[in-house]
Amino acid sequence: MRMISTKFHSKIDYLTSALFIAMPWIAGFEEVLPATWTLVAVGAMSILMSLFTDYEGGMVRSIPMSVHLNVDVVTGLFLAASPWILGFADEVYLPHLLLGLFETAAGLMTSRSPQGAERDAFEHTHRVN
């Protein structure tokens, strides 16, 4: 079920990206370097991808929304599993797990095209002359 609009998803992207980057200091595990740099890297990548995505929050608009959402799902699954993959689960795992699952869910529940694009495509293919 795709109940999140691309416009709302763009806002979620920038807010969660900032949260990813700040989380190690918010939650106090900045000294666990693999845990810290995993979130910082994912946050920075997410901001860059958002700037280049073809949606309401994009500036350059060269990455199709469907590609963006697929990357969100894969990145979210990696982030959720990263404490065990990268070996820091004994020190911290909950922020990565929760943020990763959120990222995955957002990718799965967002419309694959901007709101106006579906209407415009319909009107273009159903024009009456």
Side-chain angles (χ1 to χ4, degrees):
M1 178 165 45
R2 308 246 181 216
M3 59 187 169
I4 300 173
S5 71
T6 56
K7 185 175 184 176
F8 186 66
H9 187 99
S10 71
K11 293 175 183 177
I12 291 171
D13 279 339
Y14 290 108
L15 290 172
T16 57
S17 297
L19 180 62
F20 290 168
I21 293 168
M23 184 56 71
W25 291 272
I26 293 170
F29 61 85
E30 69 277 2
E31 71 282 349
V32 183
L33 294 182
T36 295
W37 285 108
T38 299
L39 281 169
V40 170
V42 168
M45 184 272 312
S46 183
I47 288 171
L48 282 172
M49 185 172 65
S50 296
L51 290 170
F52 284 88
T53 296
D54 186 15
Y55 68 164
E56 294 85 350
M59 300 297 233
V60 178
R61 298 188 176 201
S62 60
I63 298 172
M65 189 65 194
S66 60
V67 171
H68 176 113
L69 295 173
N70 289 337
V71 171
D72 279 352
V73 170
V74 171
T75 302
L77 292 172
F78 168 75
L79 190 57
S82 66
W84 295 275
I85 293 171
L86 301 176
F88 57 83
D90 290 341
E91 297 169 278
V92 61
Y93 71 90
L94 198 55
H96 298 74
L97 178 62
L98 294 177
L99 291 171
L101 293 175
F102 179 82
E103 180 88 352
T104 301
L108 293 172
M109 296 187 334
T110 298
S111 174
R112 296 187 80 72
S113 59
Q115 291 172 328
E118 290 174 359
R119 184 185 68 246
D120 293 346
F122 178 82
E123 289 174 358
H124 179 70
T125 59
H126 293 87
R127 278 189 213 272
V128 177
N129 293 331

